[in-house]
Amino acid sequence: MRNRKQASSRQTSRRQTSRRQTLSLAIAIPALLLAGTLFYFLPPVHERLAPRLDELRTRIKYAINPPQQAVFIPEGSPLPPPSVRTATPSLAPPASPTAALAGSTTERQPPTPTLTPTPALPTVTPTPLPQRVVLEGVQYEDQHGRWNYCGPANLSMALTFWDWEGDRDVVGKAIKPNTDDKNVMPYEMQDFIAGETQGLDSLLRLGGDIELLKRLVAGGFPVMAEKGYYEVDYTGTLGWLGHYQFVTGFDDEKGVLIVQDTYIKDGKDHEFPYADFIEGWRSFNYLFLVVFPEERAAEVYELLGPYADPEWANRHALQVAKAESDKLSGIDQYFAYFNVGASHVNLLEYADANYAFDYAFSTLYTALPEDGLRPYRMMWYQTYPYRAYYYTGRYQDVINLANITLLDTISDPVLEESFYWRGLAKEALGDITGAQDDLRQAVQLNPNFTAGWQQLERLGGG
Protein backbone atom coordinates (compact mmCIF):
# COMPACT_ATOMS: atom_id res chain seq x y z
CA MET A 1 0.00 0.00 0.00
CA ARG A 2 2.78 2.38 1.01
CA ASN A 3 4.62 1.63 -2.24
CA ARG A 4 1.49 2.42 -4.28
CA LYS A 5 1.03 5.69 -2.39
CA GLN A 6 4.67 6.56 -2.91
CA ALA A 7 4.44 5.72 -6.61
CA SER A 8 1.25 7.74 -6.93
CA SER A 9 2.87 10.65 -5.12
CA ARG A 10 5.87 10.51 -7.42
CA GLN A 11 3.60 10.45 -10.50
CA THR A 12 1.66 13.43 -9.17
CA SER A 13 4.90 15.26 -8.50
CA ARG A 14 6.16 14.47 -11.99
CA ARG A 15 2.89 15.66 -13.53
CA GLN A 16 3.07 18.87 -11.54
CA THR A 17 6.69 19.37 -12.54
CA SER A 18 5.78 18.66 -16.16
CA ARG A 19 2.91 21.14 -16.01
CA ARG A 20 5.18 23.76 -14.50
CA GLN A 21 7.78 23.15 -17.19
CA THR A 22 5.11 23.33 -19.90
CA LEU A 23 3.77 26.53 -18.40
CA SER A 24 7.25 27.97 -18.17
CA LEU A 25 7.90 27.10 -21.81
CA ALA A 26 4.53 28.55 -22.79
CA ILE A 27 5.60 31.82 -21.20
CA ALA A 28 9.26 31.71 -22.17
CA ILE A 29 8.87 30.92 -25.88
CA PRO A 30 6.58 33.90 -26.72
CA ALA A 31 8.76 36.10 -24.52
CA LEU A 32 11.89 35.00 -26.37
CA LEU A 33 10.17 35.48 -29.73
CA LEU A 34 9.04 38.95 -28.69
CA ALA A 35 12.50 39.82 -27.42
CA GLY A 36 14.08 38.47 -30.59
CA THR A 37 11.66 40.47 -32.75
CA LEU A 38 12.34 43.67 -30.83
CA PHE A 39 16.08 43.02 -31.02
CA TYR A 40 15.87 42.35 -34.78
CA PHE A 41 14.15 45.67 -35.44
CA LEU A 42 16.78 47.72 -33.62
CA PRO A 43 18.14 49.83 -36.54
CA PRO A 44 21.79 48.65 -36.33
CA VAL A 45 20.72 45.01 -36.06
CA HIS A 46 18.05 45.26 -38.76
CA GLU A 47 20.46 46.88 -41.21
CA ARG A 48 22.88 43.97 -40.77
CA LEU A 49 20.43 41.07 -40.65
CA ALA A 50 17.74 42.18 -43.10
CA PRO A 51 19.88 41.59 -46.21
CA ARG A 52 20.77 38.07 -45.00
CA LEU A 53 17.15 37.19 -44.26
CA ASP A 54 16.08 38.66 -47.58
CA GLU A 55 18.75 36.60 -49.30
CA LEU A 56 17.52 33.40 -47.63
CA ARG A 57 13.88 34.19 -48.42
CA THR A 58 14.80 35.01 -52.01
CA ARG A 59 16.77 31.79 -52.47
CA ILE A 60 13.85 29.71 -51.25
CA LYS A 61 11.21 31.50 -53.29
CA TYR A 62 13.27 31.65 -56.49
CA ALA A 63 14.10 27.95 -56.21
CA ILE A 64 10.39 27.12 -56.04
CA ASN A 65 9.19 29.76 -58.48
CA PRO A 66 12.00 30.99 -60.80
CA PRO A 67 11.26 34.62 -61.69
CA GLN A 68 12.69 34.17 -65.20
CA GLN A 69 9.68 32.01 -65.97
CA ALA A 70 7.18 34.73 -65.05
CA VAL A 71 5.71 36.14 -68.25
CA PHE A 72 3.09 38.87 -68.65
CA ILE A 73 0.83 38.43 -71.66
CA PRO A 74 -1.42 41.45 -72.19
CA GLU A 75 -5.12 40.72 -72.49
CA GLY A 76 -5.54 43.44 -75.10
CA SER A 77 -5.78 42.38 -78.72
CA PRO A 78 -2.45 41.22 -80.17
CA LEU A 79 -0.86 44.14 -81.97
CA PRO A 80 1.80 44.37 -84.68
CA PRO A 81 5.09 46.07 -83.93
CA PRO A 82 4.77 49.86 -83.77
CA SER A 83 7.22 50.29 -86.63
CA VAL A 84 4.96 48.47 -89.10
CA ARG A 85 1.50 49.44 -87.98
CA THR A 86 -0.43 52.40 -89.38
CA ALA A 87 -0.40 55.43 -87.15
CA THR A 88 -3.41 55.80 -84.92
CA PRO A 89 -4.51 58.91 -83.10
CA SER A 90 -3.31 59.14 -79.53
CA LEU A 91 -5.83 59.14 -76.72
CA ALA A 92 -5.97 61.98 -74.25
CA PRO A 93 -6.14 60.79 -70.64
CA PRO A 94 -9.66 60.39 -69.30
CA ALA A 95 -10.93 62.78 -66.69
CA SER A 96 -9.77 61.28 -63.43
CA PRO A 97 -8.62 62.28 -59.96
CA THR A 98 -5.23 60.90 -60.96
CA ALA A 99 -4.93 62.78 -64.23
CA ALA A 100 -2.29 65.03 -62.75
CA LEU A 101 -0.07 62.01 -62.25
CA ALA A 102 0.28 61.33 -65.95
CA GLY A 103 2.59 62.49 -68.58
CA SER A 104 6.17 63.32 -67.87
CA THR A 105 9.35 61.44 -67.20
CA THR A 106 8.36 60.57 -63.66
CA GLU A 107 5.82 58.42 -61.85
CA ARG A 108 4.03 60.94 -59.69
CA GLN A 109 5.83 63.96 -60.80
CA PRO A 110 6.45 67.15 -58.90
CA PRO A 111 5.61 70.19 -61.00
CA THR A 112 8.25 71.12 -63.52
CA PRO A 113 11.00 72.80 -61.49
CA THR A 114 10.50 76.54 -61.32
CA LEU A 115 13.57 78.08 -62.83
CA THR A 116 14.50 81.35 -64.43
CA PRO A 117 12.54 81.74 -67.69
CA THR A 118 13.70 79.25 -70.26
CA PRO A 119 15.45 81.00 -73.11
CA ALA A 120 14.51 80.25 -76.68
CA LEU A 121 15.76 76.81 -77.59
CA PRO A 122 18.95 77.38 -79.52
CA THR A 123 21.12 74.89 -81.19
CA VAL A 124 24.23 74.36 -79.13
CA THR A 125 27.18 76.44 -80.23
CA PRO A 126 29.64 73.88 -81.63
CA THR A 127 32.58 74.87 -79.47
CA PRO A 128 35.25 72.18 -79.29
CA LEU A 129 35.41 70.33 -75.99
CA PRO A 130 38.65 69.47 -74.19
CA GLN A 131 39.99 65.99 -74.74
CA ARG A 132 39.83 65.26 -71.03
CA VAL A 133 37.89 66.72 -68.10
CA VAL A 134 37.83 65.50 -64.50
CA LEU A 135 35.73 67.60 -62.13
CA GLU A 136 37.23 68.36 -58.77
CA GLY A 137 35.33 68.59 -55.51
CA VAL A 138 33.59 65.21 -55.72
CA GLN A 139 33.10 63.56 -52.32
CA TYR A 140 32.92 59.86 -53.09
CA GLU A 141 30.40 57.71 -51.18
CA ASP A 142 29.71 54.01 -51.60
CA GLN A 143 26.50 52.14 -50.88
CA HIS A 144 28.00 49.37 -48.75
CA GLY A 145 26.75 48.63 -45.27
CA ARG A 146 23.25 49.59 -46.37
CA TRP A 147 20.60 47.69 -48.31
CA ASN A 148 19.95 48.90 -51.90
CA TYR A 149 21.53 52.28 -51.17
CA CYS A 150 22.62 53.12 -54.68
CA GLY A 151 20.11 55.98 -55.01
CA PRO A 152 20.87 57.75 -51.70
CA ALA A 153 24.63 57.46 -52.18
CA ASN A 154 24.57 58.86 -55.71
CA LEU A 155 22.20 61.69 -54.86
CA SER A 156 24.33 62.61 -51.86
CA MET A 157 27.39 62.91 -54.12
CA ALA A 158 25.41 65.07 -56.56
CA LEU A 159 24.38 67.38 -53.71
CA THR A 160 27.66 67.57 -51.81
CA PHE A 161 29.37 68.58 -55.05
CA TRP A 162 27.43 71.82 -54.62
CA ASP A 163 28.42 72.15 -50.94
CA TRP A 164 25.27 70.61 -49.48
CA GLU A 165 25.98 69.46 -45.94
CA GLY A 166 24.78 65.91 -45.54
CA ASP A 167 25.49 62.35 -46.57
CA ARG A 168 23.81 59.24 -47.92
CA ASP A 169 22.01 58.52 -44.65
CA VAL A 170 20.41 61.95 -44.54
CA VAL A 171 19.14 61.36 -48.06
CA GLY A 172 18.17 57.76 -47.39
CA LYS A 173 15.98 58.54 -44.40
CA ALA A 174 13.82 60.73 -46.64
CA ILE A 175 13.75 58.91 -49.97
CA LYS A 176 14.18 55.35 -48.71
CA PRO A 177 12.29 55.20 -45.39
CA ASN A 178 11.63 51.50 -45.93
CA THR A 179 15.00 49.75 -45.71
CA ASP A 180 13.62 46.86 -47.78
CA ASP A 181 12.73 49.14 -50.70
CA LYS A 182 14.33 47.81 -53.88
CA ASN A 183 14.62 51.07 -55.76
CA VAL A 184 14.54 54.85 -55.45
CA MET A 185 12.79 56.50 -58.38
CA PRO A 186 14.22 59.65 -60.03
CA TYR A 187 11.12 61.66 -59.06
CA GLU A 188 11.81 60.83 -55.39
CA MET A 189 15.24 62.37 -55.78
CA GLN A 190 13.75 65.48 -57.35
CA ASP A 191 11.22 65.71 -54.53
CA PHE A 192 14.08 65.63 -52.02
CA ILE A 193 16.01 68.34 -53.85
CA ALA A 194 12.93 70.56 -54.08
CA GLY A 195 11.78 70.04 -50.50
CA GLU A 196 14.89 69.36 -48.44
CA THR A 197 17.61 71.56 -49.93
CA GLN A 198 17.97 75.29 -50.40
CA GLY A 199 19.27 76.99 -53.49
CA LEU A 200 19.51 73.78 -55.54
CA ASP A 201 17.35 72.56 -58.39
CA SER A 202 17.33 69.64 -60.81
CA LEU A 203 16.40 68.70 -64.32
CA LEU A 204 15.43 65.24 -65.58
CA ARG A 205 15.37 64.18 -69.22
CA LEU A 206 15.37 61.09 -71.43
CA GLY A 207 17.20 60.47 -74.68
CA GLY A 208 20.65 61.63 -73.61
CA ASP A 209 23.88 60.72 -75.37
CA ILE A 210 27.61 60.68 -74.65
CA GLU A 211 28.25 64.05 -76.28
CA LEU A 212 25.63 65.71 -74.09
CA LEU A 213 27.16 64.19 -70.95
CA LYS A 214 30.57 65.44 -71.99
CA ARG A 215 29.20 68.92 -72.71
CA LEU A 216 27.55 69.17 -69.30
CA VAL A 217 30.62 67.88 -67.47
CA ALA A 218 32.90 70.22 -69.42
CA GLY A 219 30.58 73.04 -68.38
CA GLY A 220 31.09 72.12 -64.73
CA PHE A 221 27.93 70.09 -64.12
CA PRO A 222 28.25 66.40 -63.18
CA VAL A 223 25.37 64.18 -64.22
CA MET A 224 23.53 61.22 -62.70
CA ALA A 225 22.53 58.47 -65.13
CA GLU A 226 20.37 55.42 -64.53
CA LYS A 227 21.57 52.25 -66.20
CA GLY A 228 21.14 48.51 -66.28
CA TYR A 229 23.79 45.84 -65.81
CA TYR A 230 24.07 42.06 -65.52
CA GLU A 231 25.55 40.30 -62.55
CA VAL A 232 25.50 36.89 -60.92
CA ASP A 233 23.45 37.63 -57.81
CA TYR A 234 23.51 35.94 -54.42
CA THR A 235 21.19 33.19 -55.69
CA GLY A 236 23.89 32.19 -58.18
CA THR A 237 21.78 33.37 -61.13
CA LEU A 238 22.81 35.81 -63.82
CA GLY A 239 20.31 38.65 -63.71
CA TRP A 240 19.65 42.21 -64.86
CA LEU A 241 19.47 45.02 -62.30
CA GLY A 242 19.17 48.80 -62.32
CA HIS A 243 21.92 51.08 -61.04
CA TYR A 244 22.74 54.80 -60.84
CA GLN A 245 26.14 56.18 -61.77
CA PHE A 246 27.51 59.67 -61.23
CA VAL A 247 29.38 60.98 -64.27
CA THR A 248 32.15 63.41 -63.28
CA GLY A 249 34.60 63.32 -66.18
CA PHE A 250 35.64 61.91 -69.55
CA ASP A 251 38.75 61.07 -71.52
CA ASP A 252 38.43 60.99 -75.30
CA GLU A 253 41.87 59.49 -75.86
CA LYS A 254 40.87 56.45 -73.80
CA GLY A 255 37.25 56.59 -74.97
CA VAL A 256 35.88 56.49 -71.42
CA LEU A 257 33.56 58.32 -69.09
CA ILE A 258 34.83 58.79 -65.54
CA VAL A 259 32.11 57.79 -63.10
CA GLN A 260 31.65 57.36 -59.39
CA ASP A 261 30.28 53.84 -58.96
CA THR A 262 28.90 53.21 -55.50
CA TYR A 263 28.81 49.41 -55.80
CA ILE A 264 31.94 48.02 -57.40
CA LYS A 265 35.33 47.73 -55.76
CA ASP A 266 37.49 50.75 -56.57
CA GLY A 267 34.38 52.59 -57.74
CA LYS A 268 35.90 56.04 -57.24
CA ASP A 269 36.85 57.62 -60.58
CA HIS A 270 36.03 54.41 -62.41
CA GLU A 271 36.68 54.51 -66.16
CA PHE A 272 33.74 53.26 -68.21
CA PRO A 273 34.12 52.79 -72.01
CA TYR A 274 31.62 54.79 -74.05
CA ALA A 275 30.16 51.76 -75.83
CA ASP A 276 29.67 49.81 -72.59
CA PHE A 277 28.05 52.81 -70.94
CA ILE A 278 25.58 53.20 -73.83
CA GLU A 279 24.68 49.51 -73.71
CA GLY A 280 23.68 49.74 -70.06
CA TRP A 281 22.12 53.19 -70.40
CA ARG A 282 19.77 52.00 -73.15
CA SER A 283 17.64 49.99 -70.72
CA PHE A 284 16.60 53.24 -69.01
CA ASN A 285 15.93 55.21 -72.20
CA TYR A 286 19.12 57.24 -71.69
CA LEU A 287 17.78 58.95 -68.56
CA PHE A 288 19.90 61.63 -66.91
CA LEU A 289 19.46 63.96 -63.94
CA VAL A 290 21.40 67.18 -63.45
CA VAL A 291 21.59 68.93 -60.07
CA PHE A 292 22.63 72.59 -60.08
CA PRO A 293 22.43 75.84 -58.12
CA GLU A 294 19.32 77.84 -59.01
CA GLU A 295 21.36 80.88 -60.03
CA ARG A 296 23.17 78.79 -62.67
CA ALA A 297 20.04 77.52 -64.40
CA ALA A 298 20.69 79.62 -67.51
CA GLU A 299 24.07 77.92 -67.94
CA VAL A 300 22.45 74.49 -67.75
CA TYR A 301 19.85 75.44 -70.36
CA GLU A 302 22.51 76.76 -72.69
CA LEU A 303 24.51 73.54 -72.38
CA LEU A 304 21.37 71.44 -72.93
CA GLY A 305 20.38 73.27 -76.09
CA PRO A 306 17.15 71.71 -77.41
CA TYR A 307 17.06 69.27 -74.46
CA ALA A 308 15.94 72.24 -72.35
CA ASP A 309 12.47 71.69 -73.85
CA PRO A 310 11.03 68.51 -72.24
CA GLU A 311 8.76 67.80 -75.22
CA TRP A 312 11.67 68.05 -77.64
CA ALA A 313 13.66 65.70 -75.40
CA ASN A 314 10.80 63.18 -75.30
CA ARG A 315 10.36 63.35 -79.09
CA HIS A 316 14.09 62.88 -79.52
CA ALA A 317 14.09 59.90 -77.13
CA LEU A 318 11.20 58.42 -79.15
CA GLN A 319 13.12 58.82 -82.41
CA VAL A 320 16.21 57.17 -80.93
CA ALA A 321 14.16 54.29 -79.52
CA LYS A 322 12.34 53.70 -82.81
CA ALA A 323 15.60 53.69 -84.75
CA GLU A 324 17.12 51.20 -82.31
CA SER A 325 14.03 48.99 -82.33
CA ASP A 326 14.49 48.55 -86.09
CA LYS A 327 18.19 47.71 -86.07
CA LEU A 328 18.77 45.86 -82.79
CA SER A 329 17.87 42.32 -81.78
CA GLY A 330 17.41 40.20 -78.67
CA ILE A 331 17.48 41.90 -75.30
CA ASP A 332 18.53 45.24 -76.82
CA GLN A 333 15.51 45.23 -79.09
CA TYR A 334 13.28 44.52 -76.10
CA PHE A 335 14.74 47.54 -74.28
CA ALA A 336 14.31 49.68 -77.41
CA TYR A 337 10.61 48.80 -77.75
CA PHE A 338 10.10 49.42 -74.05
CA ASN A 339 11.69 52.84 -74.58
CA VAL A 340 9.32 53.53 -77.46
CA GLY A 341 6.43 52.93 -75.08
CA ALA A 342 8.00 55.01 -72.29
CA SER A 343 8.56 57.97 -74.62
CA HIS A 344 4.96 57.81 -75.87
CA VAL A 345 3.76 57.80 -72.24
CA ASN A 346 5.75 60.94 -71.53
CA LEU A 347 4.10 62.54 -74.54
CA LEU A 348 0.63 61.44 -73.27
CA GLU A 349 0.28 59.18 -76.32
CA TYR A 350 -1.04 56.22 -74.41
CA ALA A 351 -2.58 54.25 -77.28
CA ASP A 352 0.71 54.38 -79.17
CA ALA A 353 2.54 53.34 -76.02
CA ASN A 354 0.34 50.25 -75.75
CA TYR A 355 1.45 49.01 -79.15
CA ALA A 356 5.07 49.13 -78.06
CA PHE A 357 4.52 47.56 -74.65
CA ASP A 358 2.26 44.80 -75.96
CA TYR A 359 4.85 43.81 -78.54
CA ALA A 360 7.73 44.09 -76.06
CA PHE A 361 6.02 41.88 -73.47
CA SER A 362 4.18 39.30 -75.57
CA THR A 363 6.68 38.81 -78.41
CA LEU A 364 10.17 40.02 -77.54
CA TYR A 365 10.32 39.19 -73.84
CA THR A 366 8.90 35.69 -74.27
CA ALA A 367 11.48 34.98 -76.98
CA LEU A 368 14.39 35.70 -74.63
CA PRO A 369 16.09 32.71 -73.01
CA GLU A 370 15.35 32.08 -69.36
CA ASP A 371 19.01 31.66 -68.40
CA GLY A 372 19.48 35.19 -67.09
CA LEU A 373 18.74 37.42 -70.06
CA ARG A 374 15.12 38.11 -69.14
CA PRO A 375 15.08 41.39 -67.16
CA TYR A 376 12.31 40.31 -64.79
CA ARG A 377 13.10 43.24 -62.45
CA MET A 378 12.10 45.80 -65.13
CA MET A 379 8.92 46.93 -63.37
CA TRP A 380 10.81 47.49 -60.13
CA TYR A 381 12.42 50.52 -61.75
CA GLN A 382 10.11 51.73 -64.55
CA THR A 383 6.34 51.80 -64.33
CA TYR A 384 5.38 53.37 -67.65
CA PRO A 385 3.24 50.38 -68.76
CA TYR A 386 0.92 50.86 -65.77
CA ARG A 387 0.17 54.39 -66.92
CA ALA A 388 -0.28 53.42 -70.57
CA TYR A 389 -2.74 50.64 -69.77
CA TYR A 390 -4.55 52.61 -67.07
CA TYR A 391 -5.16 55.68 -69.20
CA THR A 392 -6.55 53.60 -72.06
CA GLY A 393 -8.97 51.74 -69.80
CA ARG A 394 -7.04 48.46 -69.79
CA TYR A 395 -7.45 48.06 -66.05
CA GLN A 396 -7.18 44.28 -65.98
CA ASP A 397 -3.81 44.47 -67.72
CA VAL A 398 -2.65 46.86 -64.99
CA ILE A 399 -3.76 44.37 -62.34
CA ASN A 400 -2.25 41.36 -64.12
CA LEU A 401 1.09 43.09 -64.63
CA ALA A 402 1.18 44.26 -61.00
CA ASN A 403 0.32 40.74 -59.79
CA ILE A 404 3.19 39.20 -61.72
CA THR A 405 5.56 41.93 -60.54
CA LEU A 406 4.58 41.65 -56.87
CA LEU A 407 4.07 37.90 -56.61
CA ASP A 408 6.41 36.31 -59.15
CA THR A 409 9.45 38.57 -59.59
CA ILE A 410 10.28 39.57 -56.03
CA SER A 411 10.79 37.69 -52.78
CA ASP A 412 8.82 40.20 -50.72
CA PRO A 413 6.23 42.57 -52.30
CA VAL A 414 7.77 45.92 -51.33
CA LEU A 415 7.06 47.97 -54.47
CA GLU A 416 4.70 50.77 -53.49
CA GLU A 417 4.25 51.94 -57.09
CA SER A 418 2.86 48.55 -58.15
CA PHE A 419 0.40 48.54 -55.25
CA TYR A 420 -0.56 52.11 -56.15
CA TRP A 421 -1.43 51.43 -59.78
CA ARG A 422 -3.10 48.12 -58.99
CA GLY A 423 -5.24 49.96 -56.44
CA LEU A 424 -6.32 52.58 -58.98
CA ALA A 425 -7.15 49.86 -61.50
CA LYS A 426 -9.21 47.98 -58.91
CA GLU A 427 -11.12 51.16 -58.15
CA ALA A 428 -11.84 51.65 -61.85
CA LEU A 429 -13.32 48.13 -61.95
CA GLY A 430 -15.51 48.82 -58.91
CA ASP A 431 -13.45 47.04 -56.26
CA ILE A 432 -13.25 49.89 -53.76
CA THR A 433 -12.22 47.70 -50.83
CA GLY A 434 -9.42 46.14 -52.86
CA ALA A 435 -8.30 49.58 -53.98
CA GLN A 436 -8.19 50.83 -50.40
CA ASP A 437 -6.20 47.79 -49.32
CA ASP A 438 -3.63 48.30 -52.06
CA LEU A 439 -3.26 52.03 -51.46
CA ARG A 440 -2.97 51.40 -47.73
CA GLN A 441 -0.20 48.90 -48.43
CA ALA A 442 1.56 51.43 -50.66
CA VAL A 443 1.72 54.12 -47.97
CA GLN A 444 2.70 51.60 -45.31
CA LEU A 445 5.67 50.63 -47.46
CA ASN A 446 6.55 54.27 -48.05
CA PRO A 447 5.06 56.72 -45.54
CA ASN A 448 6.36 59.60 -47.72
CA PHE A 449 4.27 58.48 -50.71
CA THR A 450 2.19 61.66 -51.12
CA ALA A 451 0.16 60.50 -54.11
CA GLY A 452 -0.75 57.27 -52.31
CA TRP A 453 -2.01 59.19 -49.29
CA GLN A 454 -4.03 61.51 -51.52
CA GLN A 455 -5.77 58.67 -53.31
CA LEU A 456 -6.36 56.72 -50.11
CA GLU A 457 -7.94 59.74 -48.42
CA ARG A 458 -10.09 60.36 -51.50
CA LEU A 459 -11.43 56.82 -51.19
CA GLY A 460 -12.04 57.24 -47.48
CA GLY A 461 -9.49 54.64 -46.48
CA GLY A 462 -6.97 56.86 -44.76
Side-chain angles (χ1 to χ4, degrees):
M1 177 68 71
R2 181 181 301 171
N3 290 339
R4 284 200 298 270
K5 286 182 179 180
Q6 289 175 342
S8 176
S9 176
R10 285 194 296 269
Q11 289 174 356
T12 301
S13 177
R14 281 196 296 268
R15 284 196 295 269
Q16 290 174 342
T17 300
S18 178
R19 280 196 293 268
R20 284 195 297 270
Q21 291 174 341
T22 301
L23 180 61
S24 297
L25 286 174
I27 296 172
I29 291 174
L32 288 171
L33 290 174
L34 177 61
T37 301
L38 293 174
F39 180 74
Y40 171 74
F41 282 103
L42 290 173
V45 177
H46 184 70
E47 288 176 359
R48 290 179 176 274
L49 294 184
R52 292 184 174 87
L53 290 177
D54 185 74
E55 176 181 339
L56 177 61
R57 183 167 54 247
T58 301
R59 284 179 180 274
I60 294 171
K61 181 169 182 176
Y62 284 6
I64 298 172
N65 187 24
Q68 296 90 344
Q69 296 178 4
V71 173
F72 166 67
I73 303 297
E75 289 190 0
S77 301
L79 299 171
S83 58
V84 300
R85 68 176 180 82
T86 12
T88 58
S90 302
L91 300 182
S96 154
T98 58
L101 300 176
S104 112
T105 45
T106 57
E107 172 71 36
R108 44 188 189 280
Q109 310 83 350
T112 302
T114 303
L115 303 170
T116 53
T118 307
L121 297 174
T123 54
V124 178
T125 305
T127 54
L129 297 178
Q131 287 289 301
R132 186 175 189 272
V133 173
V134 179
L135 294 178
E136 298 181 356
V138 177
Q139 300 179 37
Y140 177 75
E141 291 186 71
D142 63 40
Q143 67 187 73
H144 303 301
R146 301 290 184 271
W147 189 232
N148 293 321
Y149 238 61
C150 165
N154 274 274
L155 181 55
S156 178
M157 285 191 287
L159 294 172
T160 56
F161 180 82
W162 299 110
D163 299 324
W164 175 75
E165 295 182 359
D167 58 22
R168 62 179 189 171
D169 288 325
V170 175
V171 176
K173 288 176 183 177
I175 68 177
K176 197 176 180 296
N178 177 5
T179 57
D180 295 327
D181 192 3
K182 300 296 184 183
N183 178 55
V184 172
M185 297 285 189
Y187 72 84
E188 294 176 292
M189 297 184 178
Q190 287 195 292
D191 283 346
F192 181 87
I193 296 166
E196 303 296 332
T197 68
Q198 292 185 351
L200 294 177
D201 216 323
S202 65
L203 183 144
L204 176 68
R205 294 289 187 268
L206 301 181
D209 57 33
I210 297 294
E211 288 305 309
L212 177 61
L213 296 182
K214 289 165 55 179
R215 192 162 65 243
L216 286 164
V217 169
F221 297 92
V223 187
M224 284 180 60
E226 192 169 17
K227 300 169 55 204
Y229 71 104
Y230 282 91
E231 182 179 80
V232 176
D233 61 24
Y234 51 73
T235 67
T237 304
L238 179 68
W240 176 90
L241 302 96
H243 187 49
Y244 290 103
Q245 284 184 330
F246 191 41
V247 182
T248 59
F250 64 88
D251 188 325
D252 276 341
E253 185 176 346
K254 293 182 177 179
V256 298
L257 291 174
I258 298 170
V259 306
Q260 310 303 317
D261 192 300
T262 62
Y263 179 70
I264 64 174
K265 184 180 179 181
D266 300 324
K268 178 177 172 57
D269 296 332
H270 178 72
E271 295 183 351
F272 217 115
Y274 293 151
D276 293 345
F277 193 93
I278 290 171
E279 184 178 4
W281 202 13
R282 177 180 296 117
S283 54
F284 281 88
N285 208 3
Y286 305 106
L287 180 150
F288 64 94
L289 174 69
V290 187
V291 179
F292 52 89
E294 291 173 345
E295 68 271 13
R296 298 187 65 179
E299 294 178 58
V300 175
Y301 278 125
E302 184 176 358
L303 292 167
L304 287 171
Y307 281 93
D309 179 4
E311 182 168 356
W312 183 95
N314 288 328
R315 289 286 173 202
H316 175 69
L318 177 61
Q319 292 172 356
V320 172
K322 283 185 173 180
E324 291 188 336
S325 70
D326 287 337
K327 68 180 182 181
L328 299 176
S329 60
I331 184 66
D332 293 319
Q333 188 180 40
Y334 166 78
F335 288 135
Y337 268 107
F338 195 97
N339 293 342
V340 170
S343 298
H344 276 306
V345 167
N346 292 333
L347 292 163
L348 308 187
E349 298 168 352
Y350 300 113
D352 296 289
N354 285 346
Y355 281 90
F357 289 132
D358 285 350
Y359 187 70
F361 284 127
S362 63
T363 301
L364 299 178
Y365 188 91
T366 56
L368 295 173
E370 297 178 12
D371 59 353
L373 278 183
R374 286 183 175 175
Y376 62 85
R377 297 180 176 93
M378 195 76 172
M379 296 299 295
W380 298 13
Y381 307 102
Q382 303 186 67
T383 56
Y384 300 104
Y386 291 143
R387 289 173 20 215
Y389 293 143
Y390 179 82
Y391 285 110
T392 50
R394 290 174 55 174
Y395 306 120
Q396 193 57 52
D397 276 328
V398 174
I399 293 171
N400 292 346
L401 180 55
N403 285 342
I404 287 175
T405 301
L406 291 168
L407 301 177
D408 295 334
T409 72
I410 195 167
S411 59
D412 195 18
V414 292
L415 305 173
E416 68 266 26
E417 292 85 3
S418 291
F419 279 108
Y420 175 84
W421 285 104
R422 190 175 74 174
L424 294 187
K426 287 180 178 179
E427 179 201 0
L429 293 177
D431 181 5
I432 304 302
T433 300
Q436 291 173 331
D437 290 342
D438 276 350
L439 291 169
R440 194 174 294 112
Q441 182 68 28
V443 297
Q444 287 174 353
L445 287 169
N446 184 354
N448 298 333
F449 194 173
T450 303
W453 283 112
Q454 290 173 343
Q455 298 305 321
L456 184 59
E457 290 171 4
R458 180 180 60 82
L459 290 178

